[in-house]
Amino acid sequence: MKQIKYLLPEDRIPQQWYNIIPDLPGPLAPVIHPGTLQPVTADDLLPLFPPGLIEQEVSTERWITIPDEVRQILAQWRPAPLFRARRLEQLLQTPARIYYKYEGVSPAGSHKPNTAIPQAYYNKIAGTRRIASETGAGQWGSSIALACQMFGLECTVYMVSVSYRQKPYRKSMMQLWGAEVVPSPSSQTAAGRAILARDPDSNGSLGIAISEAVEDAASHEDTRYCLGSVLNHVCLHQTVIGLEAREQMALAGDFPDVVIGCHGGGSNFAGLAFPFLADKAAGKDLRIVAVEPLSCPTLTKGVYDFDYGDTAKMAPISKMYTLGHDFMPPGIHAGGLRYHGAAPLVSQLLDAGLIEARAVGQVECFQAAVDFARAEGIIPAPESSHAIRAAMDEALQAKEEGREKTILFNLSGHGHVDMAAYDAFFAGELENYAYSSAAVEQSLQQLPKVDC
Ligand SMILES: *Cc1c(COP(=O)(O)O)cnc(C)c1O
């Protein structure tokens, strides 16, 4: 038999996260307060985040110990398997070897619990009683609900109203794990009431839901806020993916020529890629590719500049690739890839030329996801299909050039709760939306003026 899965025992769950901050090509840009337009201080952040996470956000320690309580819960699904995609290779008739790290084995079905668990832990030890957060289609909301349940924290999730109505199953998952789910905009916050006064039937947006969750946390002593992507500490927590994958590639006696991840806010990409960037810095010839939707082309068509994290301009301002905080991407099915910005760490690496970015259309992505599911069996999340498309294109290019190549990509989650998107694909209802350069131009006029 040929080996398919490369598995590590539980004692190989990483003991430390890899912090890329000391290995960046330059200093970290400051994070700016949205009100004062001055750099934020730890005190500004304390109403929202516990001290443990604020420290990690700016830490210059290369290795940060993972607390035993966190590793113990990660052991419910980690180490995650690495697969060799032999049946996909066969389908493509490619000389390339394709590997994927599968993060769909977590209880919530994606990589997001890798950071939800430590975020709940640092809140628990800081005395937080309740977490307020937001969710779009529900992947993050379900992950933070799970984590809060495991640490005995209460959890309120503001869920974008249109998803609350159209995608009921992740709402059910959040409720099963004990969270209160509030359709956003809601009458529970001033931000929500202001929107409802203007538009009682508002569908909501991620930007509005963030504003509601931040307001909830800032106005309650015992409540703090959590974010599922973008921030430095989130990228840090996700490095368990790449640290395990490096060991598993060694078990396979192989090493990637190209590492690929889909990119929404940047966390699953960072999680797989950052540990391999250390190899690149040490002289390995290795390409690292972030893949985003053509309809929300933050990395390939955005600018690298200071911008607000949310539409309502309540969240801190970061230096990042951005399409402008009021850019509204079309309603594609990969809901997790529709953020206007990008992780500042990923942005800095792209600006320095250490990683590449590519944009792909959703129709090609769904075709790749279906080919993958028919060959490998696993039904991918629509977000993950962007990485699959890019990996298949790399493999087809290797075939055309008649040379070997080792490809590693992150299968960030399964699509079991996204079957309506597959139904739409098979019904021929999906379109490739190109971004509108006029809309981006307009949004980029609204960037804050920061002198740093
Ligand atoms: C949320 C999500 C993403 C996008 O978020 P990143 O922070 O860019 O990783 C990708 N894949 C899945 C399965 C997700 O749930």
Side-chain angles (χ1 to χ4, degrees):
M1 269 180 67
K2 292 182 191 147
Q3 191 163 0
I4 298 293
K5 296 188 298 303
Y6 296 89
L7 303 172
L8 296 171
E10 279 179 18
D11 64 4
R12 298 308 303 161
I13 295 171
Q15 309 217 7
Q16 297 168 312
W17 290 297
Y18 168 56
N19 178 22
I20 201 167
I21 292 174
D23 295 331
L24 287 175
L28 211 56
V31 175
I32 305 297
H33 192 287
T36 63
L37 296 187
Q38 294 300 311
V40 293
T41 61
D43 280 351
D44 293 330
L45 296 174
L46 273 173
L48 294 182
F49 298 105
L53 295 176
I54 295 173
E55 273 165 39
Q56 290 179 358
E57 197 58 21
V58 293
S59 170
T60 52
E61 296 292 321
R62 184 168 289 116
W63 295 101
I64 296 178
T65 299
I66 306 178
D68 286 342
E69 295 89 329
V70 170
R71 281 184 86 226
Q72 188 62 60
I73 293 179
L74 294 182
Q76 296 291 134
W77 68 93
R78 304 208 74 83
L82 178 84
F83 284 78
R84 170 91 183 262
R86 292 190 190 270
R87 293 176 53 89
L88 182 65
E89 291 168 17
Q90 209 167 30
L91 176 76
L92 301 175
Q93 292 286 303
T94 173
R97 290 184 296 279
I98 307 174
Y99 297 85
Y100 56 95
K101 179 73 168 163
Y102 184 40
E103 291 295 321
V105 293
S106 82
S110 76
H111 64 293
K112 289 190 172 79
N114 296 333
T115 182
I117 298 293
Q119 290 194 44
Y121 166 79
Y122 288 107
N123 272 289
K124 182 73 184 177
I125 62 170
T128 307
R129 192 183 61 81
R130 182 170 67 99
I131 293 294
S133 196
E134 74 287 328
T135 197
Q139 286 112 326
W140 170 245
S142 51
S143 302
I144 192 67
L146 165 78
C148 286
Q149 178 59 228
M150 291 200 158
F151 283 104
L153 296 169
E154 288 183 23
C155 182
T156 305
V157 180
Y158 293 88
M159 183 174 192
V160 175
S161 183
V162 63
S163 303
Y164 183 93
R165 292 193 305 270
Q166 290 177 356
K167 304 192 173 166
Y169 292 121
R170 285 207 183 83
K171 174 189 70 185
S172 311
M173 290 164 71
M174 291 183 248
Q175 288 168 338
L176 185 155
W177 281 318
E180 181 200 7
V181 187
V182 181
S184 165
S186 77
S187 56
Q188 300 197 7
T189 65
R193 286 189 296 272
I195 303 277
L196 287 174
R198 269 182 278 139
D199 177 8
D201 300 319
S202 168
N203 276 333
S205 71
L206 205 54
I208 296 169
I210 295 178
S211 305
E212 288 204 272
V214 168
E215 179 185 327
D216 182 336
S219 58
H220 294 92
E221 193 68 47
D222 60 356
T223 303
R224 284 193 176 96
Y225 172 70
C226 281
L227 193 65
S229 184
V230 179
L231 300 179
N232 301 350
H233 67 262
V234 179
C235 295
L236 172 80
H237 298 156
Q238 293 294 354
T239 60
V240 292
I241 302 171
L243 292 168
E244 288 176 5
R246 278 180 83 248
E247 276 199 45
Q248 289 163 310
M249 290 300 295
L251 284 182
D254 215 338
F255 192 83
D257 296 302
V258 54
V259 173
I260 298 169
C262 69
H263 188 284
S267 71
N268 89 87
F269 167 75
L272 180 65
F274 285 2
F276 286 97
L277 268 156
D279 295 291
K280 191 177 165 93
K284 282 267 192 194
D285 183 17
L286 161 74
R287 290 170 49 227
I288 298 181
V289 186
V291 191
E292 62 185 6
L294 266 176
S295 56
C296 188
T298 312
L299 300 174
T300 51
K301 296 277 169 60
V303 295
Y304 184 45
D305 206 342
F306 285 94
D307 196 10
Y308 298 98
D310 68 330
T311 318
K313 305 197 255 187
M314 285 169 70
I317 296 168
S318 303
K319 190 168 185 191
M320 60 182 178
Y321 277 89
T322 179
L323 294 167
H325 56 271
D326 56 4
F327 180 73
M328 277 299 233
I332 56 165
H333 282 279
L337 305 184
R338 294 180 68 229
Y339 187 57
H340 69 273
L345 292 175
V346 171
S347 298
Q348 191 173 349
L349 293 163
L350 180 64
D351 184 59
L354 293 172
I355 61 172
E356 303 166 30
R358 241 196 96 178
V360 289
Q362 69 172 350
V363 175
E364 296 88 271
C365 287
F366 272 94
Q367 190 55 60
V370 169
D371 290 346
F372 179 89
R374 289 179 177 172
E376 295 288 313
I378 297 171
I379 300 172
E383 290 84 0
S384 316
S385 73
H386 292 68
I388 299 174
R389 176 74 270 160
M392 285 173 62
D393 289 348
E394 291 282 341
L396 291 170
Q397 191 194 351
K399 175 181 176 178
E400 222 173 84
E401 294 169 359
R403 64 184 178 89
E404 290 193 10
K405 187 193 273 184
T406 302
I407 300 164
L408 168 64
F409 74 89
N410 199 3
L411 187 59
S412 52
H414 69 61
H416 298 179
V417 197
D418 303 285
M419 293 313 295
Y422 284 93
D423 287 344
F425 173 69
F426 286 121
E429 288 165 11
L430 296 194
E431 295 169 50
N432 271 346
Y433 304 93
Y435 85 115
S436 146
S437 43
V440 174
E441 275 311 309
Q442 181 102 44
S443 286
L444 292 179
Q445 306 281 315
Q446 312 299 324
L447 297 190
K449 307 265 176 295
V450 175
D451 279 330
C452 279

